[in-house]
Amino acid sequence: MERLTRYAYVLAALLAGTGAYALAQSNQSGGPKVTEKIMEERAPLDVPGYQLIPGPEGLAYTYKMDKRTYETLKPFGIVARNYTDGAKTYDAVLISSDSHESFHDPKICFSGQGYSFTHANEQVLDLPDGRKIPMTVVEMNGPTGPTVAAYFYKGPSGFMSRPQRLQLDMFKEVLFGRKPTDSTFYRFMPSTPGVTLEQLKGFIKTYMVAAAQQSGGFF
C-alpha cells in the first residue's frame, strides 16, 4: 500500500509538471493575436434600444481600467463601455487573452472595490438566437446600496460560468497539443441604482446577440 501511495504521488507530480510546462509554453507561443484596438472594433457599438456612452476618446471605450489591472491580468486588452436606455445605464466589460493567468474570480475585484456579497448562484441565460449561456449571478451591497452583477467566460469549448472551468478548458487544449485559444471574460452590472436582475438579464440578452453579430462570432 505504501508503494502504491508513493507511485500515486509521483504520477500526480509528473502530471502537474507537464501541465505547468505546457501552460508556460502556451503563454510564450507566437504572442498575442488580438489587440485592444481589435477588441474595440469588434465589441458592439450598436445595442438595440441602448445608446453607447462615449469616453474621452469617443466610442472606443467609456472608461479605462487602471494600470494595475493591466499589469496583473496581462490581457490582449480590456474594453469597458456603458450603455443607456435613457433611464437605466449598464456597464459591460470584456477582457480577452489566451493565457489562463488572465482569468480569475471577479469576486476578488468586487471586494476590493467596496462590495460585500449577500448571495451568488449559477443560472442559464436563454438568448433570443437560441444559445444558452451559463453565468454566475451575484447580489451585493456596495457604495450606492444593493446591486446585482453577472459574469461568464467564453473559452475553447464555449461559454461557462466559472473561471476554474475556463482554466481547465484551456489547460486541456494545451495538453492535447492544440494552439492556445483566445478566450474572453464578460462582466455586466448596472450603473443605475435599483436595477433588478431581470432588467440586467434583458440587457445582457440584447447585448450578446448584438456582440455575436457585430464581431463575426468572436464575442
Side-chain angles (χ1 to χ4, degrees), residues 6 26 28 31 67 94 97 135 174 182 201:
R6 191 183 306 119
S26 75
Q28 299 172 7
K67 182 179 178 182
L94 303 171
S97 175
M135 65 179 186
V174 176
D182 299 339
K201 285 181 177 180

Side-chain angles (χ1 to χ4, degrees), residues 82-210:
N82 287 350
Y83 302 81
T84 183
D85 63 2
K88 299 175 290 296
T89 299
Y90 298 93
D91 183 22
V93 174
L94 303 171
I95 302 176
S96 293
S97 175
D98 67 353
S99 169
H100 71 291
E101 296 176 344
S102 300
F103 303 103
H104 66 282
D105 193 334
K107 292 177 185 175
I108 300 172
C109 292
F110 282 132
S111 297
Q113 294 169 1
Y115 292 93
S116 59
F117 295 91
T118 57
H119 185 68
N121 65 6
E122 293 184 45
Q123 301 184 19
V124 176
L125 191 69
D126 293 311
L127 300 188
D129 59 13
R131 289 180 297 160
K132 295 181 181 295
I133 297 182
M135 65 179 186
T136 296
V137 173
V138 294
E139 298 175 13
M140 307 176 290
N141 286 317
T144 60
T147 189
V148 293
Y151 61 85
F152 48 87
Y153 305 80
K154 184 179 182 183
S157 61
F159 291 101
M160 53 207 70
S161 59
R162 293 182 181 180
Q164 296 87 349
R165 293 175 183 171
L166 173 64
Q167 291 165 348
L168 179 60
D169 205 20
M170 298 175 78
F171 175 84
K172 288 190 294 186
E173 288 292 297
V174 176
L175 209 56
F176 287 116
R178 292 187 281 267
K179 292 178 63 176
T181 300
D182 299 339
S183 300
T184 300
F185 165 70
Y186 302 72
R187 193 268 285 153
F188 301 92
M189 64 184 301
S191 300
T192 306
V195 173
T196 67
L197 176 57
E198 290 307 310
Q199 290 172 326
L200 178 62
K201 285 181 177 180
F203 169 73
I204 299 173
K205 290 178 182 180
T206 306
Y207 177 95
M208 290 304 295
V209 172

